[in-house]
Amino acid sequence: MATRRVDTDSVDERLVVDVDTAVTVDELVARAAGARRVRIQVPSFTDGRVFSQVRALSETSTFDGEVEVHGDLLPDQLPLLEQYGVADIVLENGMDAADRPGYIRVAYRERLLRTMSSPRADTESMESDTLEKGVTR
Amino acid sequence: MYAYDEFDQNLLTRRVAEFRQQTERYLDGRLSEDQFRPLRLMNGLYFELHAPMLRIAIPYGVLHADQLRTLARIARNYDRGFGHFTTRQNLQFNWPAVEMAPDILEELAGAQMHAMQTSGNCVRNITTDHLAGIAVDEIEDPRPWCELIRQWFTLHPEFLFLPRKFKIAVTGAPTDRAATLLNDIGLQIVRGDEGETGFRVLAGGGLGRTPVIGQVIREFLPRNELLAYLDAILRVYNQLGRRDNKHKARIKILVRETGVERFREMVEAEWRRVRERVPVVDSGEFESLRRQFALPAFEPVVDTAGFAARRMMEPAFARWLKHNTVDHRHAGYRAVFLSLKAPGQAPGDLDADRMDAVAALAERYSYAEIRTSHTQNLLLPHVRVDELHALWNALSALRLATPNIDGLTDMICCPGLDYCSLANAHSIPLAEEINERFAKIDAVHDIGELRINISGCMNACGHHHIGHIGILGVDKRGEEWYQLTLGGSAANNAALGERIGPAVARDAVVDAVDAIVRTYLEARLDDDEAFLQTYRRIGISPFKESVYGNPTR
Ligand code: SF4
């Protein structure tokens, strides 16, 4: 989980952040702030934490760099990562990325995000009466 | 009934093509056994003791007659001529060939059915009240919400590789027939201060090795926040659920280990983050989804005199009416249970010929609709009162009219040693023996509501913890023994059963159940006091004595 400053004399002095899947979304978002690139190492294709990580990175406003995921991944998992804007994916288990089935581009979620949703008009009132309830930090 | 549009159909077709490609890669060695596992499970395909098993989704337990015929055809062509209805309202085929699984899925897709996410470490099919839409006490039909949740979590890229399986149940009625206290997330539709509906959200319930009753994490969630809030719960679970030990990976362990207060804080914090991106459910769009679940246009039923007369004259018919039919929201109609627990039949099994016959009866008597229940029975949900007698006759001829719904012989029973590699016990033969012993006694004494649940091992697929009488197979030095529990329940006042004493040997189980039932029959105040009420009134001691004798040490 080392964080290192890229040794370059280019203008882009921003960080490359290396993490594994054990880093929580909160911590990852904090560490990624302003970084140029976040690289996530996945120890096993059954470890789905990476999907929460890449989603959070794609949705935070404090990180606009690139995400790289490498490790033990199935070709079948590539579309899931790509949906969250992951730029580079490296399979480090000898599997062939070209084996991805590639039939499904859009599932319900994308459609629902387009159709089954209207903007929140009530954000202010929600903040005061329900959102803060029970949050005691 | 919910009908697929082009989008649904297209997605399903592509999903089948994808699974066909994955199966090919497995068969030609490009995917190892381990690599194929999550992919096949997400498509409902298990590898069991003797053969693969394919679990097919019956969303919210609703089937059209044509869909049941499709299942019958698949049972004939790809299996051994029957299917098995599960406690999560699905259907399992126990003998398909792996190579044929993509073909089966393709046939299913042709009938707007699928096996997506019926297994694996993802959000499973959503379950609900088998009386949804017709229950007399219902606040709101939960099925449109189930469908919305199903769509949202189908191939949701964040949540396909969770620490463990994830089950969501929704009830729209105050009487909980969906076991919302015993799911990873339970949603209860409730009314808010201004009469608007929203959800009480429970989390962390479940059976299995460590049974836990779910806890309320939010008393009232505005309805249009549902998807964002569910995403938040899943996000917390996906990050923090244990991945080091499969037996500790369910959300109930996370809730227990973090404490419900802290868990709630984390969910609410995540919700604030997620809701920036997951917009509210649009009420106009939701309305069009809801219209898909509109009830049929019922005709008024005028001639009920003939029905009343028959009920008076024919005690067998009256008995069936009492046990196997329930009130319907619409006057002049009743919902009819078809018992899949006739003596000598494995609980929940139905052969292809009778599937076809039930489909025909559904068309004739119930607007072509069939439901599946959590108790592994079927329902014809909308039957005119003046047609009940004819239906009863037809069901009797099919051996689907055993008047035992919610009774002692309406047992829930896991596959046990006959199919399952983990089992310690032959659950099905035991269920048959109990059925034989009690069929007559029940007819004489009218034992009433008494649920028996049998699991072949501590994984608890037969939900023994929530049986009024629970029976668990245990291994004692290579022999089959049975641990009995009393007083479990999955209803509103959910409770886990209490152990009655040491395990009993195989040849003593049926006698032990017999002793428990006789103790109840002697102690009940009247015929209307059900087993669970008597048990809660008099406690476990009298039952203990009846099974193990009076402690005279
Ligand atoms: S309870 Fe045990 S024996 Fe029964 S089906 Fe489940 S794992 Fe198999």
Side-chain angles (χ1 to χ4, degrees):
Chain A
M1 297 206 299
T3 301
R4 63 191 172 86
R5 192 165 289 275
V6 181
D7 189 13
T8 166
D9 49 13
S10 82
V11 283
D12 195 349
E13 280 275 294
R14 291 188 292 169
L15 296 176
V16 171
V17 177
D18 276 302
V19 295
D20 61 21
T21 50
V23 176
T24 62
V25 163
D26 278 342
E27 190 189 337
L28 178 61
V29 168
R31 286 175 58 183
R36 179 168 64 82
R37 193 173 186 85
V38 170
R39 302 199 300 198
I40 305 173
Q41 156 74 34
V42 179
S44 160
F45 62 86
T46 58
D47 186 347
R49 290 177 293 187
V50 64
F51 301 109
S52 285
Q53 292 178 318
V54 298
R55 177 177 171 193
L57 288 175
S58 77
E59 293 180 351
T60 178
S61 56
T62 56
F63 169 73
D64 64 353
E66 289 180 333
V67 179
E68 173 189 319
V69 176
H70 58 108
D72 179 17
L73 293 154
L74 304 179
D76 311 74
Q77 292 174 316
L78 303 191
L80 308 178
L81 294 168
E82 286 166 2
Q83 285 185 55
Y84 294 126
V86 176
D88 295 310
I89 304 167
V90 186
L91 307 188
E92 293 175 335
N93 52 5
M95 298 188 84
D96 186 353
D99 273 346
R100 60 190 293 175
Y103 290 99
I104 297 176
R105 279 186 294 276
V106 179
Y108 288 107
R109 193 169 156 275
E110 284 65 34
R111 182 175 72 159
L112 288 171
L113 284 171
R114 278 201 316 274
T115 64
M116 183 55 80
S117 58
S118 51
R120 282 196 166 74
D122 58 342
T123 304
E124 288 315 307
S125 64
M126 288 294 300
E127 288 294 342
S128 53
D129 61 314
T130 54
L131 280 186
E132 298 306 322
K133 209 158 78 180
V135 181
T136 53
R137 257 183 297 174
Chain B
M1 274 187 243
Y2 184 77
Y4 281 12
D5 62 13
E6 216 174 297
F7 186 95
D8 295 90
Q9 199 68 55
N10 189 280
L11 177 65
L12 197 46
T13 305
R14 285 167 177 275
R15 181 68 169 163
V16 173
E18 182 175 275
F19 185 60
R20 193 179 288 285
Q21 192 260 22
Q22 290 166 335
T23 307
E24 277 163 20
R25 282 158 60 212
Y26 165 67
L27 293 171
D28 71 19
R30 276 179 289 165
L31 281 171
S32 71
E33 197 85 40
D34 283 348
Q35 290 163 340
F36 186 46
R37 182 180 302 117
L39 306 176
R40 67 171 161 79
L41 289 175
M42 256 179 249
N43 286 281
L45 187 65
Y46 280 79
F47 289 172
E48 290 281 329
L49 183 58
H50 303 293
M53 180 272 273
L54 185 67
R55 182 182 294 149
I56 291 155
I58 301 177
Y60 13 92
V62 180
L63 273 174
H64 188 275
D66 289 336
Q67 294 178 315
L68 187 55
R69 285 200 183 91
T70 299
L71 294 172
R73 196 175 67 235
I74 291 171
R76 277 193 199 97
N77 295 345
Y78 298 95
D79 207 281
R80 296 187 177 176
F82 66 96
H84 175 79
F85 291 93
T86 76
T87 55
R88 280 182 66 76
Q89 302 179 286
N90 293 321
L91 180 96
Q92 292 176 186
F93 287 120
N94 282 315
W95 310 96
V98 180
E99 309 81 60
M100 301 313 276
D103 291 343
I104 299 176
L105 294 182
E106 199 168 310
E107 285 205 27
L108 287 171
Q112 309 199 344
M113 275 189 288
H114 64 84
M116 277 190 280
Q117 293 176 216
T118 55
S119 179
N121 297 336
C122 50
V123 177
R124 301 287 187 84
N125 66 296
I126 320 301
T127 55
T128 189
D129 188 349
H130 49 256
L131 299 179
I134 59 171
V136 180
D137 63 341
E138 190 167 271
I139 297 169
E140 183 180 332
D141 188 344
R143 292 173 302 165
W145 292 106
C146 295
E147 175 58 20
L148 181 65
I149 299 167
R150 178 190 83 84
Q151 293 188 7
W152 184 251
F153 286 110
T154 296
L155 302 176
H156 189 312
E158 187 177 357
F159 302 127
L160 289 174
F161 293 86
L162 296 169
R164 203 70 178 91
K165 59 187 167 186
F166 203 91
K167 300 175 177 178
I168 301 176
V170 190
T171 176
T175 304
D176 186 358
R177 286 171 290 258
T180 58
L181 290 159
L182 294 158
N183 275 263
D184 294 285
I185 293 179
L187 297 169
Q188 303 174 343
I189 296 180
V190 289
R191 285 203 189 282
D193 296 338
E194 272 124 58
E196 80 284 17
T197 55
F199 297 94
R200 179 182 294 127
V201 184
L202 296 98
L207 296 170
R209 288 176 178 231
T210 318
V212 182
I213 291 173
Q215 301 189 67
V216 176
I217 59 165
R218 186 167 250 278
E219 274 298 341
F220 190 81
L221 178 73
R223 48 196 275 133
N224 56 12
E225 289 290 337
L226 182 64
L227 297 180
Y229 202 80
L230 292 178
D231 254 20
I233 298 174
L234 265 297
R235 167 82 63 87
V236 169
Y237 171 59
N238 189 40
Q239 288 184 79
L240 302 178
R242 286 180 61 171
R243 290 171 187 269
D244 59 327
N245 180 343
K246 157 176 196 260
H247 299 304
K248 299 197 165 162
R250 297 285 293 272
I251 196 175
K252 61 193 172 190
I253 306 293
L254 176 65
V255 174
R256 199 178 64 184
E257 288 183 354
T258 53
V260 70
E261 286 305 322
R262 175 80 190 116
F263 179 79
R264 177 183 298 130
E265 280 171 25
M266 290 191 292
V267 168
E268 301 267 328
E270 204 58 67
W271 183 33
R272 280 182 298 179
R273 191 196 333 250
V274 170
R275 67 194 292 278
E276 311 261 302
R277 297 289 174 154
V278 181
V280 296
V281 176
D282 180 78
S283 38
E285 286 291 334
F286 185 72
E287 210 37 58
S288 53
L289 185 56
R290 189 204 298 283
R291 273 196 290 278
Q292 297 241 36
F293 293 89
L295 294 179
F298 296 114
E299 306 137 22
V301 179
V302 277
D303 171 34
T304 56
F307 163 70
R310 287 212 134 106
R311 181 182 211 159
M312 291 284 289
M313 308 280 293
E314 297 180 45
F317 176 54
R319 186 150 175 260
W320 174 80
L321 278 175
K322 178 180 168 198
H323 291 286
N324 287 23
T325 73
V326 293
D327 292 341
H328 191 287
R329 217 181 169 84
H330 198 275
Y333 285 77
R334 292 186 77 73
V336 173
F337 282 88
L338 280 53
S339 171
L340 302 186
K341 316 286 178 71
Q345 100 153 63
D349 280 5
L350 189 64
D351 56 84
D353 291 348
R354 289 195 296 169
M355 287 185 200
D356 282 338
V358 170
L361 291 176
E363 279 168 343
R364 169 87 179 74
Y365 294 109
S366 183
Y367 297 86
E369 187 177 335
I370 300 121
R371 304 265 182 108
T372 57
S373 79
H374 293 276
T375 54
Q376 302 178 286
N377 294 303
L378 299 179
L379 287 97
L380 296 183
H382 325 289
V383 181
R384 290 171 63 117
V385 161
D386 55 0
E387 296 187 329
L388 283 168
H389 192 267
L391 176 59
W392 173 62
N393 278 327
L395 291 174
S396 300
L398 293 166
R399 298 192 73 233
L400 294 171
T402 311
N404 63 353
I405 296 300
D406 285 336
L408 190 151
T409 56
D410 183 9
M411 277 168 278
I412 289 178
C413 168
C414 82
L417 269 172
D418 295 274
Y419 297 99
C420 174
S421 51
L422 303 168
N424 297 322
H426 286 95
S427 330
I428 295 175
L430 175 60
E432 274 167 18
E433 245 182 78
I434 294 175
N435 203 322
E436 260 166 48
R437 170 85 65 102
F438 287 98
K440 280 209 195 70
I441 302 177
D442 191 22
V444 177
H445 292 283
D446 201 356
I447 296 168
E449 186 180 350
L450 201 182
R451 300 222 57 100
I452 295 185
N453 291 55
I454 308 175
S455 301
C457 80
M458 65 197 288
N459 287 322
C461 305
H463 302 169
H464 62 277
H465 301 112
I466 51 165
H468 301 166
I469 299 176
I471 304 179
L472 164 67
V474 291
D475 177 85
K476 257 196 183 180
R477 295 175 300 278
E479 280 176 36
E480 281 180 36
W481 284 64
Y482 292 84
Q483 174 68 61
L484 273 65
T485 49
L486 296 184
S489 164
N492 293 63
N493 44 9
L496 303 171
E498 192 179 341
R499 281 174 59 157
I500 185 170
V504 298
R506 175 69 180 83
D507 55 12
V509 190
V510 183
D511 288 336
V513 174
D514 197 287
I516 291 165
V517 172
R518 286 181 194 285
T519 305
Y520 155 66
L521 289 175
E522 279 161 28
R524 70 178 173 187
L525 297 175
D526 54 43
D527 288 8
D528 288 334
E529 191 182 58
F531 177 85
L532 197 58
Q533 292 167 301
T534 304
Y535 173 79
R536 286 180 175 170
R537 181 169 57 77
I538 67 176
I540 202 167
S541 303
F543 296 98
K544 205 177 248 179
E545 273 171 34
S546 73
V547 173
Y548 300 99
N550 214 331
T552 49
R553 280 167 287 157

